[in-house]
Amino acid sequence: SVGLPCISPTSYQQLIRVCSHNGDLDRAEKLLMDMCSDGLIPSEVEFNGLIHACTRVGDKERAEVYFRMMEERGIVPDLVSYNSMI
């Protein structure tokens, strides 16, 4: 993980959001992996952050991978998900 003890899902959401807004896709992806390693289940919030990060760096194909991954995990894409994909 990012070196913080007992990091909460909300903290992961905020960290992924910051990475997303800064176009730091690699760090956002690592945070998602850390979250899963910590036994937490990502929601549409984390996936939307990753999709947004992908589009900020111009990687539409990677955004589509995360969009499909959301659906495969049973997470229903929301308006933010679809807007990010446009």
Side-chain angles (χ1 to χ4, degrees):
S1 66
V2 294
L4 300 174
C6 302
I7 188 165
S8 71
T10 304
S11 296
Y12 274 113
Q13 290 172 357
Q14 294 300 320
L15 290 167
I16 290 171
R17 185 176 310 180
V18 168
C19 292
S20 168
H21 287 294
N22 288 312
D24 191 349
L25 178 56
D26 293 334
R27 181 70 158 177
E29 287 177 323
K30 179 165 182 353
L31 285 163
L32 183 74
M33 288 186 290
D34 289 347
M35 183 179 189
C36 294
S37 294
D38 286 348
L40 300 172
I41 300 170
S43 69
E44 73 277 356
V45 175
E46 291 83 18
F47 279 102
N48 285 342
L50 282 167
I51 292 168
H52 181 74
C54 291
T55 59
R56 291 216 17 125
V57 300
D59 195 338
K60 181 148 176 91
E61 291 79 22
R62 218 150 144 194
E64 290 170 358
V65 167
Y66 284 113
F67 190 87
R68 284 192 305 273
M69 191 182 297
M70 268 178 84
E71 295 178 316
E72 290 166 2
R73 290 175 173 246
I75 300 169
V76 179
D78 61 11
L79 187 58
V80 174
S81 312
Y82 286 105
N83 281 339
S84 294
M85 292 299 294
I86 295 176

